[in-house]
Amino acid sequence: MSIADWLKQPWPWYVAGPLIGLLVPVLLLIGNKSFGVSSSLRHVCAACFPANISFFKYDWKKELWNLFFVAGIMIGAVLISQFFSNPNPVHLNPKLVEELGQYGINNSSNKLFPPELFNWNTLISLKGVVIMLAGGFLVGFGTRYAGGCTSGHSIMGLSNLQLPSLIATISFMAGGFIAANFLLPLILKL
Amino acid sequence: MKSIETINEKQHHKFLTDNTDFEVRSMDTICVNESELKHPFWHNLKYLGAGILFGIFLVKAEVISWFRIQEMFRLQSFHMYGVIGSAVVVGAISIWLIKKFKLKTMYGEQIEFITKKINKGQVYGGLLFGFGWALTGACPGPLYALIGNGATVIIVTLFSAVAGTWVYGYVREHLPH
């Protein structure tokens, strides 16, 4: 295998997970920042549409670091997709492949999302509205209501042994189990 | 001068403990050290760098894959549990070391940890976020990464997430916490 091919390989969990975990001390040591992403959504609200809502009245400029952080996430993803993207489809459990096949979703492309579902045309279908618009809304509403997302609660909070973060993480998983196993099959049939 | 500082610190502490929102830094804006730690704009590039690394990790680990999230919620693969679990182990050991050796930031500032309080939001909000996570296949970090990875339509999902956050802020006082 050439080096170029090797760099295009996806990483196993025991490589990627510890590296993600290392971002926790890195952010603390370079500026006392707690690892977290969903706060960026709030800063966008505070910066662009505060609308006199007290929840959005704070000095968001002091939290600019978080917007730099999420801009970095986007740039990192561009770099990989341009130069080191995996040419093969994601290696999936055959049971999932079979189930999704019933809904016309095939994991045949090398993309990390099903293009049949996530494209500009499906956005005007009921299925697309529920998955992309309602789904996104729930991500924004739910993370803020819970006080954090997978990064802030499940990684940063659990690393700091916070019981509230454990409760939040269990709730994330419970919601995800219900939606993936019972709601999504109905939505995909739309 | 000193007494003012003490009062500020007390108010600051009360503010933090009363606050039910756990987005630490976004509320933590009256830090007593704040004036000493005003940095020029370009200091934020450190966080851009950290974000680039996070983006690379998210894509290479396929954490941003809608398919991987479906596998996780169907218990069909260990992958996502391995990623999150090992990240927590490394994060926990790091925080333990930081506390044990009282490590300071690169600017010599004391590293602060905020104790979170239990509230109903973690359950209700958590469940709602779980629904959204399973549908979109993305939590907030991957939303940004997916756009960078070429799923341009996810821009709409991201705006929708901003709208969700805004509506939460709007109705917040009427929700159980």
Side-chain angles (χ1 to χ4, degrees), chain B:
Chain B
M1 188 63 200
K2 186 151 193 181
S3 64
I4 294 173
E5 267 177 27
T6 323
I7 290 166
N8 277 345
E9 207 167 343
K10 273 188 184 156
Q11 282 176 342
H12 174 58
H13 193 76
K14 187 175 178 335
F15 178 73
L16 290 179
T17 42
D18 289 351
N19 181 18
T20 54
D21 183 86
F22 300 124
E23 209 69 75
V24 177
R25 292 304 297 193
S26 60
M27 295 300 278
D28 189 2
T29 49
I30 45 167
C31 208
V32 274
N33 292 320
E34 199 74 45
S35 59
E36 291 171 4
L37 292 178
K38 263 194 182 143
H39 296 302
F41 173 80
W42 53 267
H43 274 237
N44 280 319
L45 291 177
K46 292 179 304 203
Y47 306 112
L48 187 80
I52 290 174
L53 290 177
F54 190 31
I56 290 173
F57 302 162
L58 285 173
V59 177
K60 291 313 284 186
E62 297 176 333
V63 169
I64 66 168
S65 167
W66 184 86
F67 300 104
R68 284 271 183 233
I69 303 303
Q70 301 308 325
E71 271 185 339
M72 167 176 71
F73 287 135
R74 287 170 177 75
L75 297 175
Q76 290 168 336
S77 166
F78 177 73
H79 183 80
M80 284 298 302
Y81 297 98
V83 170
I84 298 176
S86 58
V88 171
V89 169
V90 170
I93 294 171
S94 311
I95 289 181
W96 181 77
L97 288 171
I98 286 174
K99 286 180 177 169
K100 182 166 170 63
F101 295 104
K102 299 195 173 63
L103 296 182
K104 299 223 154 77
T105 68
M106 56 189 275
Y107 304 107
E109 191 191 14
Q110 180 89 38
I111 293 182
E112 276 185 59
F113 296 97
I114 305 291
T115 308
K116 300 179 182 193
K117 270 190 180 173
I118 294 178
N119 73 29
K120 291 177 189 148
Q122 285 132 17
V123 176
Y124 300 144
L127 286 171
L128 292 174
F129 164 51
F131 291 161
W133 191 9
L135 297 185
T136 60
C139 38
L143 279 182
Y144 293 100
L146 274 165
I147 296 168
N149 200 47
T152 52
V153 72
I154 297 292
I155 291 170
V156 178
T157 309
L158 180 64
F159 275 116
S160 200
V162 171
T165 302
W166 190 89
V167 170
Y168 169 73
Y170 189 72
V171 299
R172 183 170 196 250
E173 276 130 57
H174 309 287
L175 295 171
H177 273 96

Side-chain angles (χ1 to χ4, degrees), chain A residues 67-80:
Chain A
L67 298 176
F68 275 80
F69 185 62
V70 298
I73 294 176
M74 217 179 276
I75 295 169
V78 170
L79 291 176
I80 296 300

Side-chain angles (χ1 to χ4, degrees), chain A residues 111-172:
Chain A
K111 294 197 163 48
L112 293 169
F113 52 91
E116 302 93 333
L117 210 53
F118 293 89
N119 66 63
W120 290 92
N121 292 327
T122 49
L123 195 58
I124 49 166
S125 70
L126 184 57
K127 201 196 299 188
V129 167
V130 173
I131 290 179
M132 287 183 271
L133 279 176
F137 187 90
L138 288 171
V139 168
F141 189 95
T143 52
R144 197 71 283 107
Y145 194 177
C149 62
T150 331
S151 313
H153 268 314
S154 307
I155 294 179
M156 182 66 202
L158 288 186
S159 292
N160 195 23
L161 312 178
Q162 298 293 304
L163 181 61
S165 293
L166 183 63
I167 296 171
T169 302
I170 292 169
S171 306
F172 300 163

Side-chain angles (χ1 to χ4, degrees), chain A residues 32-114:
Chain A
N32 225 345
K33 304 291 188 268
S34 288
F35 183 59
V37 174
S38 64
S39 46
S40 64
L41 302 170
R42 181 178 177 190
H43 304 328
V44 170
C45 291
C48 306
F49 330 97
N52 222 12
I53 297 168
S54 63
F55 192 65
F56 299 124
K57 280 198 279 187
Y58 58 92
D59 188 4
W60 59 270
K61 284 183 191 147
K62 279 190 181 141
E63 309 305 326
L64 260 185
W65 78 272
N66 198 247
L67 298 176
F68 275 80
F69 185 62
V70 298
I73 294 176
M74 217 179 276
I75 295 169
V78 170
L79 291 176
I80 296 300
S81 69
Q82 291 303 307
F83 304 109
F84 306 111
S85 71
N86 180 9
N88 304 308
V90 177
H91 191 72
L92 294 175
N93 188 319
K95 276 191 215 150
L96 181 69
V97 177
E98 194 192 326
E99 186 198 330
L100 293 176
Q102 297 166 21
Y103 310 119
I105 295 172
N106 301 303
N107 183 31
S108 50
S109 76
N110 65 342
K111 294 197 163 48
L112 293 169
F113 52 91

